Each structure stands twice: as structure tokens, then as C-alpha cells.
Amino acid sequence: MMKKHRRATVADLLAEKGKRQLTMLRVTSLEEADAAEKARIDIVSVPPSLLGPVFREIAPTLFAIPGLEYGDHVSAEDYLRAAFAALKAGGDAVYCAASLQTIRRMRDEGIPVCGHLGLIPSKATWTGGFRAVGKTAASAAEIWRQTKALEEAGAFAAEIEVVPGDVAAAISSNTAMLMISMGAGSGCDAQYLFADDVLGVNRDHTPRHAKVYRDFAAEHDRLQRERIAAFTEFAEDVRTGAYPEKRHLVGIDDAELEIFLQRLKSETGKAEGSRALLPR
């Protein structure tokens, strides 16, 4: 009998609000999804293209939130179609930074939506670029206003990014939404990092809120050196005749080979012995 896996629902996650810190990672490959499953991560953000039967086979318990990236869709109908496709492919909710009207449309269709507050990269020009938001009373009040509007529109969760921890904690304790912190402190309901940052893949800027747990960049450099060396050795073997060797080839019985060569001789009209047909 096939083992059944239960994964969390929206109701399950909301029931955890204020009880424990949930974990969330942005994963972009099946290998990362497999690792997140085995590490017992609670939530993953994924590109919609990653979803499907294979994803769910290797990650049966991960609560997956595919991102409906801002700018990839235009109208509310575009977002609705993309959201339904993502849920059908194995998603549990969708990330959406579009208008409140669009979020309401999805709410009306029963689609769980995770919104975005604070630093929103796709809209960062309105808040001064890639910088912290909510460092003044007025800015913090605006995030609170947006939080209430997002909750009223029907979002069940919101990523709150690069906001002072005290501000994020106060907001989280006064909203029913699941608040997902990316650099906004432990007063929220979940802690969110990108797998690339956790694994040390990035070679340039590492965000202040990121914590690097492994140095994959150095490992990738080592593997690339090994890759180049292996390719170079292969090319040299081909040029010198060291590859292929007899052990790399399929054999044929001498009698069968002779029969074939005789037939080839008769068809090509060559007068030499059959063995002369073999390349030298």
C-alpha cells in the first residue's frame, strides 16, 4: 500500500501563528526542493515552472508558493489563469504583488494569496530603491496601512521585507495574516531566505539579512576546474588515439565479421581480400 503524505493547508499554517517560527526557503531546482523536503522546511517559494508530478514526488509535504512575478502578467484575468495553472500543477498558494483589486479577484475564486510589504523589489523605485523601509514613524504607519488593506483584500499571508524588527513585530501581532519575515526580525511568523544565500552561491552582494551556511561558490569553482581538466584530457586522448580502447567497443565474432565483409566486398566490387575493407 502506497504511503500517504500529508502536507499543511492554509488553515494549518494560520493555526501556527504566534506559536512557533515557520521556516521558508526560495528554491529553484528539484535538487533544492528535495533537500528542503528532507530538511523538513515548512514552506518553499518556487518558480511555477518547477511544479509538476516530479516536484510533488520528491517534495510531498512542502507547502509550495509559486510566484506570479510582477510584470509577467497584466490583467486580473492573466493572474487568475496563471494562479489556477500553478495550483493545478501542485502549488498550495500563490505569491502576488499586483493590485489589491487583482488580489480580491483571486480571493473571490478561493485562491490563497501571499502578498508583499516593505521593500518590494519590483516596486522599489517608490520607496527609494533597494533599501530598508519603515525606519520612520510615517513610513512604518504606511506599511501598517498597506497591511490592513492587504488583509481586507483577502490575502492570507504577506512577505514583509527589510523592515525594522520592532515595527514588523508590532504589525504581525495586530494582523490575522501570516507574516513572513525576510530581514524583518523574529517577531513575525516565518523566517524566509533564498537557497542561493543559504548555500553561498552568490559571488557579489550578500544581503544584510542573509546567513551563509555553506560555500557553494568555492565548490562550483573547484568543480569547474575539474570539468575543464576532464574535457582537456578527453580531447588529448582522442587526438593521440588513446580513446577509444578495445574495452570501450562492442565486439563481433570473427566468423560473423568475415561473412559481413564478404557481402560488403561483393556489393562494393572491390577485388581486395575482405580484410582489406577494414579501415587501417
Side-chain angles (χ1 to χ4, degrees):
M1 183 176 177
M2 184 177 293
K3 182 180 179 181
K4 292 184 178 180
H5 300 273
R6 185 185 185 279
R7 82 179 174 265
T9 65
V10 168
D12 292 328
L13 295 182
L14 290 175
E16 294 294 323
K17 184 175 175 68
K19 295 180 180 179
R20 70 178 178 96
Q21 290 276 287
L22 300 172
T23 55
M24 181 171 175
L25 288 173
R26 168 71 174 181
V27 302
T28 57
S29 70
L30 291 174
E31 290 81 4
E32 289 177 350
D34 179 53
E37 173 74 23
K38 291 173 179 173
R40 300 176 66 185
I41 298 298
D42 296 300
I43 307 168
V44 289
S45 166
V46 299
S49 59
L50 190 64
L51 295 171
V54 176
F55 173 84
R56 274 305 168 203
E57 182 179 342
I58 66 172
T61 69
L62 292 178
F63 187 95
I65 305 179
L68 306 184
E69 297 301 332
Y70 188 73
D72 287 352
H73 313 285
V74 179
S75 68
E77 286 71 23
D78 292 339
Y79 277 97
L80 278 170
R81 279 191 290 269
F84 278 125
L87 295 181
K88 187 176 181 180
D92 299 291
V94 295
Y95 163 88
C96 180
S99 68
L100 296 173
Q101 290 84 353
T102 296
I103 292 172
R104 287 191 188 96
R105 285 290 305 277
M106 289 195 280
R107 182 272 315 272
D108 289 344
E109 296 296 340
I111 299 170
V113 178
C114 175
H116 203 148
L117 300 162
L119 169 61
I120 306 174
S122 59
K123 301 178 181 179
T125 189
W126 292 100
T127 51
F130 289 83
R131 56 194 300 178
V133 182
K135 295 178 68 175
T136 66
S139 179
E142 175 59 19
I143 297 172
W144 170 236
R145 184 195 69 78
Q146 293 172 2
T147 301
K148 292 188 291 183
L150 193 60
E151 184 174 2
E152 186 278 330
F156 85 97
E159 176 186 345
I160 183 166
E161 184 169 350
V162 195
V163 169
D166 290 338
V167 172
I171 289 174
S172 182
S173 65
N174 285 281
T175 177
M177 288 192 299
L178 196 75
M179 298 301 286
I180 300 169
S181 166
M182 178 168 274
S186 58
C188 297
D189 305 301
Q191 296 301 315
Y192 179 25
L193 287 178
F194 279 31
D196 279 357
D197 291 326
V198 170
L199 298 175
V201 172
N202 296 320
R203 299 175 186 276
D204 300 318
H205 173 68
T206 299
R208 178 202 298 265
H209 60 265
K211 183 174 180 179
V212 178
Y213 289 81
R214 293 292 186 274
D215 189 359
F216 270 38
E219 183 66 11
H220 287 165
D221 287 343
R222 185 190 69 80
L223 289 173
Q224 180 66 1
R225 291 193 296 271
E226 289 297 303
R227 187 178 288 115
I228 294 169
F231 289 179
T232 301
E233 290 171 22
F234 163 69
E236 183 63 18
D237 275 359
V238 171
R239 283 190 290 267
T240 62
Y243 177 86
E245 302 171 42
K246 187 174 182 180
R247 61 190 175 95
H248 299 123
L249 306 176
V250 176
I252 182 173
D253 182 80
D254 286 346
E256 294 295 326
L257 177 60
E258 187 61 32
I259 293 171
F260 165 69
L261 293 177
Q262 288 293 342
R263 180 176 298 174
L264 185 61
K265 175 184 175 182
S266 65
E267 292 183 4
T268 59
K270 290 188 176 180
E272 298 91 344
S274 58
R275 291 282 171 174
L277 295 171
L278 293 174
R280 293 179 173 81

